[in-house]
Amino acid sequence: MTKQLTPIDVLALGFMTFALFLGAGNVIFPPGAGLAAGENIWPTAFGFLITAVGLPLLTLIALARVGGGLAQLTGPLGRVAGVLLSVLVYLAIGPLFATPRTAVVSYQIGVVPFVQDGWRALLGYSIVYFSVVIFLALKPGQLVDRIGKYITPVLLLGLLMLGVAALLFPAGQMHAPSEQYRSAPLIQGFLQGYLTMDTLGALVFGIVITTAIRDRQVSETRLITRYTVLAAVIAAAGLSMVYLALFYLGATSGALVGEGVNGGQILASYVQHRFGVAGSALLALVIILACLTTAVGLLTACGEYFSRLLPLSYRAVVWVFGLFSMAVANQGLDSLISVSIPVLVGLYPLAIALVCMSLLCAGMARPQNLMRPVMLVTLVFGVIDGLKAAGLISTAGAWIDALPLSDQSLGWLLPVAVTLLAAILVEYLRHGSLHQQQAGR
């Protein structure tokens, strides 16, 4: 008889999921967007919640339905296409961009205010940081206990103090929105949610969550799906509250900072203004813990996936990817961001289309007939948007540039919707024709 989790275990699982998602970008981007949005904070925040909370939640639900792995989700695409997409997602969210970014951002915000900045300081911090990350990732079955029951409560307490202070003691009044957030605040918030990388993160965290559940002797598929969804809902609720508080903090902190500052500088200015040196120490703790837990989840996910794909053990993958991430982190944040943005712009449409199509095609006899054409069109437009974001091309043709929201890197929406409708129509006609042939016999 399969074991069932207690309510405390489910809550700890939800806390672990929350901590896996809450990385540096999740703490930094909302205050920056809130400052720029000003009086348009709420439509901006709503757009942000769509991509930073709603899509990751749907992703975890889609993964739970198919067993928790990205490989199962990409199954209808065919083995080669599925593996290529999975490898791209895992590398982007793992050792190439996201994992090194957690180290560099936590260093710049949590450590630089207290030490002399330089390559030696970054190297020393990254060695200590990734030593802890690798140590925690080497025992994936203990993540619920180590992160969900111990680290996350400390992280939540720090965030709670910061959020309550922002709501009860704002630094000032909201200002008029900046130019970008004046005409289309919801779209700007939607695009800012891209930068958290949480939908891509959800694609790889599904296997971490299901592994954590199975390691607690839960073997029944129905229960694994149920606990994964409950953990996702708990994490989504927590993330939403944190984001809204940080948006409000940014929107009311215009008197403390100038235009064009990033979310990390806004947070640092606010905590220094409200709490002094103790505030800076609190912020450092929150940022470092947030980054640490995310890095552990990402490294664990990469270890689980590549140890199944390649003839390497889980421990070997964790060590190789952990050390590689440390090396990349020492290249600096600016170079990481400049390279990662075009990749994100290209990959995110594929991730969104994959999740939405998986949910739409649930229970279909031939899901590949809808998924393959839609994903192919999404790939074409994702590559175009990625090349434009990288500055390698300035235009993709008059008709493509004329598509709705093309200037916002969302020009893929209309072609993908048209492709989906056409695929549904073809499938309906094919099914009707087959039914008539069978009836004629």
Side-chain angles (χ1 to χ4, degrees), residues 22 31 34 51 82 129 148 154 211 244 277 282 286 292 353 379 389 392-393 430:
L22 192 73
T51 44
Y129 179 88
V154 178
T211 298
L244 291 175
V277 176
L282 172 65
V286 168
L292 185 73
L379 173 64
L392 298 177
I393 60 174
R430 181 184 298 168

Side-chain angles (χ1 to χ4, degrees), residues 54-71:
L55 285 175
L57 175 61
L58 288 178
T59 302
L60 288 179
I61 291 173
L63 286 167
R65 287 184 57 261
V66 298
L70 181 55

Side-chain angles (χ1 to χ4, degrees), residues 9 34 48 72 82 116-117 120 205 256 275 290 292 323 348 403 413 416:
D9 287 334
F48 186 90
Q72 290 87 348
Q116 180 66 40
D117 189 19
R120 291 183 180 86
F205 285 152
L256 300 180
F275 300 109
L292 185 73
L323 294 176
Y348 239 91
L403 288 169
L413 285 173
V416 167

Side-chain angles (χ1 to χ4, degrees), residues 203-393:
L203 286 172
V204 304
F205 285 152
I207 195 170
V208 179
I209 299 168
T210 55
T211 298
I213 296 171
R214 288 192 178 98
D215 283 340
R216 302 184 84 80
Q217 286 76 54
V218 178
S219 57
E220 190 175 333
T221 302
R222 177 183 59 84
L223 289 176
I224 293 173
T225 300
R226 177 188 173 195
Y227 293 142
T228 301
V229 172
L230 286 174
V233 171
I234 293 171
L239 289 170
S240 297
M241 289 188 287
V242 169
Y243 292 152
L244 291 175
L246 292 177
F247 260 92
Y248 188 75
L249 182 152
T252 55
S253 296
L256 300 180
V257 295
E259 294 184 5
V261 298
N262 61 48
Q265 293 168 311
I266 297 169
L267 280 172
S269 298
Y270 178 82
V271 297
Q272 182 65 35
H273 166 75
R274 186 58 63 197
F275 300 109
V277 176
S280 298
L282 172 65
L283 179 62
L285 178 66
V286 168
I287 293 293
I288 291 174
L289 286 179
C291 291
L292 185 73
T293 52
T294 298
V296 171
L298 294 174
L299 190 56
T300 300
C302 288
E304 296 279 1
Y305 178 75
F306 284 101
S307 64
R308 298 178 184 179
L309 183 67
L310 302 173
L312 293 173
S313 68
Y314 172 83
R315 294 179 64 87
V317 175
V318 166
W319 275 105
V320 170
F321 277 31
L323 294 176
F324 184 85
S325 297
M326 185 180 72
V328 174
N330 280 273
Q331 305 307 307
L333 186 60
D334 291 339
S335 60
L336 274 176
I337 291 177
S338 63
V339 175
S340 66
I341 286 179
V343 176
L344 289 179
V345 169
L347 270 181
Y348 239 91
L350 285 169
I352 294 172
L354 177 65
V355 172
C356 293
M357 291 303 299
S358 297
L359 292 172
L360 180 65
C361 297
M364 286 185 60
R366 297 180 297 274
Q368 65 272 17
N369 291 347
L370 296 188
M371 289 187 68
R372 289 178 181 176
V374 168
M375 293 296 290
L376 180 60
V377 172
T378 307
L379 173 64
V380 171
F381 281 88
V383 169
I384 291 173
D385 285 339
L387 292 174
K388 289 169 68 175
L392 298 177
I393 60 174

